[in-house]
Amino acid sequence: MFSKLTIVVASVLITLAAAIPNTVPVTPPTSDQCCQSVVDSNTTAAGAVLAELGIDLGDITVPVGLSCSPITVVGNNCGDITTRCDAPEIAWHGLIAINCIPITS
């Protein structure tokens, strides 16, 4: 009787452990960029570039960097706006970077 109870309890615990969702937030990778400007995604300028690239952000308004290039050297003198953006899954040839937060020192 005791061994059957142990198996049932172990089975229930395993089932519960599998049913509990993983609640660890996933942080997207970021990329330091030098952008000519940072505007909201719902502006005309950002909308034109997003439409040209076929990117649909829906109703989400996020800061986007326009005319960006990656900063790959420590101490690089950007000359424009140094930002930290979500690393793109695909390259948009420096036209735009999504979810850019200016870096101030």
Side-chain angles (χ1 to χ4, degrees):
M1 176 71 180
F2 181 72
S3 63
K4 288 182 183 177
L5 179 61
T6 303
I7 292 172
V8 169
V9 170
S11 297
V12 168
L13 290 176
I14 291 170
T15 303
L16 285 174
I20 297 173
N22 183 359
T23 58
V24 176
V26 176
T27 305
T30 59
S31 171
D32 290 347
Q33 301 277 324
C34 182
C35 299
Q36 196 172 54
S37 63
V38 177
V39 297
D40 282 341
S41 58
N42 61 358
T43 63
T44 304
V49 175
L50 290 166
E52 183 70 27
L53 295 171
I55 301 170
D56 182 14
L57 296 178
D59 293 333
I60 299 171
T61 301
V62 295
V64 296
L66 301 175
S67 298
C68 299
S69 59
I71 297 174
T72 56
V73 178
V74 176
N76 183 15
N77 185 7
C78 174
D80 286 319
I81 302 168
T82 304
T83 63
R84 179 154 296 140
C85 307
D86 288 350
E89 293 179 15
I90 58 172
W92 294 311
H93 308 291
L95 294 174
I96 197 164
I98 306 294
N99 200 26
C100 295
I101 307 300
I103 300 171
T104 57
S105 50

